[in-house]
Amino acid sequence: MHPFSKNPQACAGNLGECKLLEHIHDWLGESTPPSPYGMGDDTAVLQQSGNLLTTDSLVYNKHFDDGAHPEAVGYKLLARNLSDIASMGGTPLHAVTAFFMPANTSLEWLEGFTRGLGACAQAYGVKIVGGDLTGTDGFLGATLTLDGIAERPLLRGRVKAGDLLYVTGNLGGSISGKHLNFIPRLKEGRQLARYKAVSGCMDITDGLGKDLPGFLSKGLAAQIDLNALPISEAAREQSGRDGRSIEEHAFCDGEDYELLFSVEPTFAEQLEGEWKSSDLTPIRRIGVAVEQNGSMVLMDRAGNPLPHWHGYEHLGKS
Amino acid sequence: MHPFSKNPQACAGNLGECKLLEHIHDWLGESTPPSPYGMGDDTAVLQQSGNLLTTDSLVYNKHFDDGAHPEAVGYKLLARNLSDIASMGGTPLHAVTAFFMPANTSLEWLEGFTRGLGACAQAYGVKIVGGDLTGTDGFLGATLTLDGIAERPLLRGRVKAGDLLYVTGNLGGSISGKHLNFIPRLKEGRQLARYKAVSGCMDITDGLGKDLPGFLSKGLAAQIDLNALPISEAAREQSGRDGRSIEEHAFCDGEDYELLFSVEPTFAEQLEGEWKSSDLTPIRRIGVAVEQNGSMVLMDRAGNPLPHWHGYEHLGKS
């Protein structure tokens, strides 16, 4: 749905800020508690304190376009942040949002967006406690900041040589739709946080190939079994159309929002067994962390460098 | 300073994201703790938990322009949020930032901005714990989210009829410069939070006249002594140039970032006395909250409606 309207009566800018905030409050529904625990004061007063804090943004024609339902865009804004909390093994608590929008943003689009955001918050027990509205000359985007709590946060950078590498779900092809309706892996992250043998966890957002180096501790490389990558249906379809291999799609496509994690090898069998008997999203062993030898950080099972595939670059350089 | 460059070597987009994040990390200096307590993981792990959460944004050519030093812009981004924490009587703790910027944002501008942000954080004991970078087609802006802590948060909406209204500092004319270098009233806010007789507090951002109605509880009106308004030098100068009265400037100009608060009348004398003997920013009694009679929310000392002056409307409608 196109987010702007030529009919002044249908535009957000026509309402005036106070009325608009009332509408937003209504559209958020029960996801926003009464002031001072929600919107309405200079800052929100939180009823529970978290030890995790993360922020992520969405921009029109970059993270969503006219083909997206506004409800899905609102969902995605929160879900991206939920995925970050999931990767720490945490439980989300409170969110604040900052909107950037031109005066001709349509009320219909904004209502859908806000309802989608509120519904996602309800589904995951998040309270929307405040926000900010900024008028622009045409730019449409939003930032959401989320806090959460984790007793033992799962961190990056503690992977050791010999640790096995796993991912949840299937990879690649997210652009076909999953980027708007993925399920943040909160349950899976919390389960992983219960295992001391899980040495690291992150969510895959820029593509496995781009995210992996940042996941490894210094001096480590990843040996990846390309044949073991869990390939999404969407990646297969795209591969059929664009001629890029399914492995390249799985390895490089952005916005998977799956978890990448590492496990001490002696615990791998137990973890795999317990996982299979749970209702959690399936996991796949995709490789192993090894001592780095030279400058190569990513290699295949035979120790050869992986093809020169790129992940997503936020500022356009690759 | 103009934030963009035509020389590709001097542009942020030329560096690639990883290098750019390394620079940002350096420029933030000691304001950003090591991972996982700062940048570098999916979410930041906080060493102290706050019960306050607020967010505010800055946009190029709206909140700052080419005339502003980038350091001042970085200062302002955090200081706006500090003012919100001040208005709750709180102490700030951690910040996360989301940048929106085109690839041609100049590294020199970005360095100044980031150093200004980091210096402000250092000055007020705030830790910058994470952030997000989003490339745009030309839009330059940033959101900062700040948490903080207050034992007894100062709230809006608890003002009673008869409570006296006060402001800190001087009002009006902020556009001449104060909007970039104001001092967030954190000490003053914390002092006010110690007095049970302070029934409400907020920071004045859209102009006293626009912010006052939102400060009052339902059924109340404000009787304002226009002659008592503390007028800034800048408002006097602007009045001399544009012919609008100094009172209109003080009452309507945005971005004062002073505190508006209410005090039970029996406590007013003690508060004024204690304040005078402190080193806190001076306060001024500007009026009193009265029972609303009809629809008039703002009146002068004689009970006549105040001139139809407008404050700042974020989406351009007034």
Side-chain angles (χ1 to χ4, degrees):
Chain A
M1 180 179 166
H2 188 61
F4 309 120
S5 171
K6 285 178 180 158
N7 170 11
Q9 300 303 315
C11 288
N14 188 57
L15 269 189
E17 196 186 346
C18 290
K19 277 264 175 243
L20 190 56
L21 286 175
E22 279 174 30
H23 278 301
I24 287 175
H25 190 270
D26 287 348
W27 296 331
L28 285 172
E30 291 184 20
S31 69
T32 185
S35 174
Y37 306 110
M39 297 161 65
D41 214 309
D42 295 284
T43 104
V45 178
L46 308 182
Q47 290 176 289
Q48 187 184 356
S49 286
N51 63 338
L52 301 175
L53 193 62
T54 190
T55 191
D56 221 332
S57 304
L58 280 190
V59 169
Y60 175 55
N61 277 338
K62 188 174 179 97
H63 302 101
F64 66 94
D65 59 21
D66 291 350
H69 288 288
E71 288 81 0
V73 180
Y75 174 92
K76 179 175 181 175
L77 177 63
L78 177 51
R80 275 165 78 86
N81 284 282
L82 290 171
S83 183
D84 282 320
I85 297 289
S87 74
M88 308 297 281
T91 298
L93 295 171
H94 313 90
V96 290
T97 55
F99 288 99
F100 299 93
M101 61 183 195
N104 68 340
T105 305
S106 88
L107 285 169
E108 190 186 352
W109 189 91
L110 194 63
E111 175 172 354
F113 173 87
T114 311
R115 288 191 186 276
L117 174 62
C120 181
Q122 282 279 91
Y124 290 97
V126 172
K127 296 295 174 197
I128 310 272
V129 300
D132 180 54
L133 269 183
T134 305
T136 70
D137 290 336
F139 176 81
L140 178 67
T143 298
L144 187 139
T145 303
L146 183 64
D147 77 348
I149 191 161
E151 259 182 61
R152 183 182 89 91
L154 280 170
L155 306 177
R156 299 186 193 181
R158 307 208 168 170
V159 186
K160 296 173 294 296
D163 286 357
L164 301 172
L165 301 172
Y166 288 80
V167 295
T168 60
N170 295 316
L171 303 181
S174 178
I175 192 73
S176 295
K178 184 184 174 188
H179 77 105
L180 288 167
N181 62 20
F182 63 91
I183 309 289
R185 302 303 186 194
L186 286 158
K187 280 189 296 183
E188 290 74 13
R190 280 194 294 266
Q191 182 58 36
L192 292 173
R194 288 185 191 107
Y195 297 124
K196 287 211 174 130
V198 172
S199 53
C201 185
M202 75 178 287
D203 71 326
I204 310 170
T205 55
D206 294 346
L208 180 60
K210 178 150 181 256
D211 288 335
L212 252 175
F215 180 67
L216 299 170
S217 323
K218 277 211 169 154
L220 291 185
Q223 204 165 350
I224 300 294
D225 183 356
L226 288 179
N227 296 320
L229 292 180
I231 313 283
S232 72
E233 266 314 302
R236 284 181 207 283
E237 286 166 19
Q238 287 171 37
S239 170
R241 283 198 301 273
D242 65 16
R244 290 167 59 210
S245 70
I246 54 172
E247 291 81 11
E248 183 179 349
H249 274 288
F251 200 67
C252 299
D253 289 354
E255 304 213 64
D256 282 317
Y257 302 107
E258 296 294 346
L259 298 182
L260 164 67
F261 60 97
S262 55
V263 180
E264 293 170 10
T266 52
F267 187 69
E269 205 173 323
Q270 185 184 336
L271 181 137
E272 289 181 22
E274 290 186 18
W275 206 275
K276 262 185 201 137
S277 65
S278 77
D279 62 350
L280 299 166
T281 302
I283 56 176
R284 184 77 62 89
R285 192 195 293 193
I286 59 163
V288 60
V290 296
E291 299 280 358
Q292 198 178 336
N293 186 357
S295 64
M296 196 170 28
V297 178
L298 297 176
M299 61 189 92
D300 64 16
R301 271 183 76 179
N304 297 315
L306 282 176
H308 198 58
W309 293 334
H310 290 294
Y312 184 75
E313 269 284 335
H314 292 251
L315 286 173
K317 197 201 177 192
S318 66
Chain B
M1 178 179 169
H2 187 62
F4 309 118
S5 171
K6 285 178 182 161
N7 169 11
Q9 300 303 315
C11 289
N14 188 57
L15 270 189
E17 197 186 345
C18 289
K19 278 265 174 244
L20 190 56
L21 286 175
E22 278 174 29
H23 278 301
I24 289 175
H25 190 270
D26 287 348
W27 295 332
L28 285 171
E30 293 184 20
S31 69
T32 185
S35 175
Y37 307 110
M39 296 161 65
D41 214 309
D42 295 284
T43 103
V45 177
L46 309 181
Q47 290 177 289
Q48 186 184 359
S49 285
N51 63 339
L52 301 175
L53 193 63
T54 189
T55 191
D56 221 334
S57 305
L58 281 189
V59 169
Y60 175 56
N61 277 338
K62 186 171 180 102
H63 302 101
F64 66 94
D65 59 22
D66 290 350
H69 288 287
E71 289 81 0
V73 180
Y75 174 91
K76 179 174 180 175
L77 176 63
L78 177 52
R80 277 165 76 87
N81 283 282
L82 290 171
S83 183
D84 282 320
I85 297 288
S87 75
M88 308 298 281
T91 298
L93 294 172
H94 312 91
V96 289
T97 55
F99 288 98
F100 299 93
M101 60 184 196
N104 68 339
T105 304
S106 87
L107 285 169
E108 189 186 352
W109 189 91
L110 194 63
E111 174 172 356
F113 173 88
T114 310
R115 287 191 187 277
L117 173 63
C120 182
Q122 281 279 90
Y124 290 98
V126 172
K127 296 297 174 196
I128 311 273
V129 298
D132 179 55
L133 270 183
T134 304
T136 70
D137 290 336
F139 177 81
L140 179 68
T143 298
L144 187 140
T145 303
L146 183 63
D147 79 347
I149 191 160
E151 258 181 64
R152 186 183 85 91
L154 281 169
L155 305 176
R156 300 186 190 180
R158 308 208 168 170
V159 188
K160 296 173 294 297
D163 286 357
L164 301 172
L165 301 172
Y166 289 80
V167 295
T168 60
N170 295 317
L171 303 181
S174 177
I175 193 72
S176 294
K178 183 184 175 188
H179 76 106
L180 287 168
N181 61 18
F182 62 92
I183 307 289
R185 301 305 186 193
L186 285 159
K187 280 189 296 185
E188 291 75 11
R190 281 195 292 266
Q191 182 60 35
L192 292 172
R194 289 185 191 108
Y195 297 125
K196 287 212 175 130
V198 172
S199 53
C201 184
M202 74 178 286
D203 71 327
I204 310 171
T205 55
D206 293 345
L208 180 61
K210 179 151 181 256
D211 287 334
L212 252 175
F215 180 67
L216 300 170
S217 323
K218 276 210 169 156
L220 291 184
Q223 204 164 351
I224 300 295
D225 182 356
L226 288 179
N227 296 320
L229 293 180
I231 313 283
S232 72
E233 266 313 301
R236 283 181 208 283
E237 287 166 18
Q238 286 172 37
S239 169
R241 284 199 300 273
D242 66 17
R244 290 165 60 208
S245 70
I246 54 171
E247 292 80 11
E248 183 180 347
H249 275 288
F251 199 67
C252 299
D253 290 354
E255 305 212 62
D256 282 317
Y257 301 106
E258 296 292 348
L259 299 181
L260 163 66
F261 61 96
S262 55
V263 181
E264 293 170 13
T266 52
F267 187 70
E269 206 172 321
Q270 186 185 334
L271 181 137
E272 289 181 22
E274 291 186 16
W275 207 275
K276 263 186 199 132
S277 65
S278 77
D279 63 350
L280 298 165
T281 302
I283 56 176
R284 184 77 62 88
R285 190 195 295 193
I286 59 163
V288 60
V290 296
E291 299 279 359
Q292 198 178 335
N293 186 356
S295 63
M296 197 170 26
V297 178
L298 298 175
M299 62 188 91
D300 66 15
R301 272 184 75 179
N304 297 314
L306 283 177
H308 198 59
W309 294 333
H310 290 293
Y312 184 74
E313 270 283 335
H314 292 249
L315 286 173
K317 197 199 176 194
S318 65

